């Protein structure tokens, strides 16, 4: 049984030092999520528009003092655009028409699998937001999930997929066995 280490609704997923993902509601960034570390959690007092201060892992801004140096981007963002790091299965095979996140341009971008390539080792993904199609290895994809009211949708599967199965073969059938004829 696989247990997620993040996204547990019984603990505060946005405490100082927590790893999170942040989305942007800006043209060219919609449908993408970037990893960050919480520097200052949201206020404990309720407010209409709570904000959280984060430092991004892959996004940087040029340091004005040095031309070639870059420092991690730090920003105050609306809490509604922040979620814990989604759980991942140990290994997963994807199907055509399955919603996925693909690691591309320093972030996780929402897309849909449109083709299974190389016996399931690579996948062609279509990104609705940019209308691009790009091929990815399985290691750069994850099942797309939404953080809804403190829970992941769809939830993490309880079973670890059988890695020993030949990927060129279809998954095991769920047919009912009939008794042998006399």
């Amino acid at each position: 049984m696989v247990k997620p280490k993040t996204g547990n609704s019984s603990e505060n997923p946005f405490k100082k030092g927590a790893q999170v993902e942040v989305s942007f509601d800006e043209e060219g960034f919609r449908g993408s999520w970037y990893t960050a570390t919480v520097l200052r959690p949201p206020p404990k007092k309720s407010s209409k528009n709570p904000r959280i201060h984060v430092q991004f892992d892959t996004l940087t801004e040029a340091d004005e003092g040095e031309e070639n140096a870059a420092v991690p981007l730090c920003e105050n963002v609306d809490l509604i655009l922040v979620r814990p790091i989604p759980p991942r299965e140990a290994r997963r095979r994807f199907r055509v028409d399955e919603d996925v996140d693909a690691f591309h341009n320093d972030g996780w971008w929402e897309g849909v699998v449109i083709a299974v390539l190389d016996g399931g080792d690579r996948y062609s993904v279509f990104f609705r937001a940019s209308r691009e199609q790009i091929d990815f290895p399985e290691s750069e994809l994850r099942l797309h999930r939404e953080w809804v009211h403190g829970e992941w949708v769809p939830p993490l599967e309880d079973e670890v997929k059988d890695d020993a199965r030949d990927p060129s073969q279809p998954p095991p059938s769920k047919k009912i066995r009939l008794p042998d004829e006399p």
Side-chain angles (χ1 to χ4, degrees), residues 15-166:
K15 64 185 177 188
K16 184 177 181 176
Q19 289 288 298
V20 295
E21 287 186 345
V22 180
S23 184
F24 294 97
D25 193 24
E26 297 173 15
E27 189 67 34
F29 286 98
R30 287 189 186 100
S32 63
W33 292 89
Y34 295 89
T35 58
T37 301
V38 175
L39 298 180
R40 189 175 57 247
K44 292 184 181 184
K45 294 180 183 177
S46 179
S47 70
K48 280 189 173 185
N49 191 19
R51 296 179 68 78
I52 186 169
H53 189 69
V54 298
Q55 177 177 316
F56 290 93
D57 295 344
T58 58
L59 299 180
T60 60
E61 57 183 320
D63 186 308
E64 294 177 18
E66 297 180 38
E67 194 172 38
N68 295 328
V71 295
L73 178 64
C74 293
E75 282 196 359
N76 285 312
V77 295
D78 292 336
L79 187 57
I80 197 159
L81 298 174
V82 180
R83 67 183 188 184
I85 301 289
R88 299 224 13 203
E89 287 87 7
R91 187 158 187 220
R92 178 180 177 87
R93 297 290 184 186
F94 298 96
R95 297 181 310 273
V96 171
D97 292 330
E98 195 164 25
D99 290 329
V100 295
D101 295 334
F103 194 77
H104 180 62
N105 288 339
D106 297 324
W108 290 97
W109 291 78
E110 298 172 12
V112 62
V113 174
I114 59 170
V116 178
L117 311 170
D118 301 332
D121 290 333
R122 295 185 59 77
Y123 299 87
S124 189
V125 176
F126 178 74
F127 299 99
R128 294 175 190 101
S130 63
R131 309 206 46 81
E132 291 178 278
Q133 176 183 335
I134 303 173
D135 297 345
F136 292 92
E138 177 187 311
S139 62
E140 293 178 5
L141 297 179
R142 66 184 186 194
L143 180 65
H144 176 72
R145 290 187 165 89
E146 296 287 336
W147 180 247
V148 180
H149 304 295
E151 299 292 331
W152 288 107
V153 178
L156 183 66
E157 295 177 11
D158 288 341
E159 299 176 18
V160 175
K161 302 290 184 196
D162 181 9
D163 289 339
R165 185 176 63 80
D166 181 352

Side-chain angles (χ1 to χ4, degrees), residues 167-178:
S168 66
Q169 298 299 312
S173 171
K174 293 184 179 179
K175 293 180 183 175
I176 299 172
R177 289 194 152 188
L178 300 175

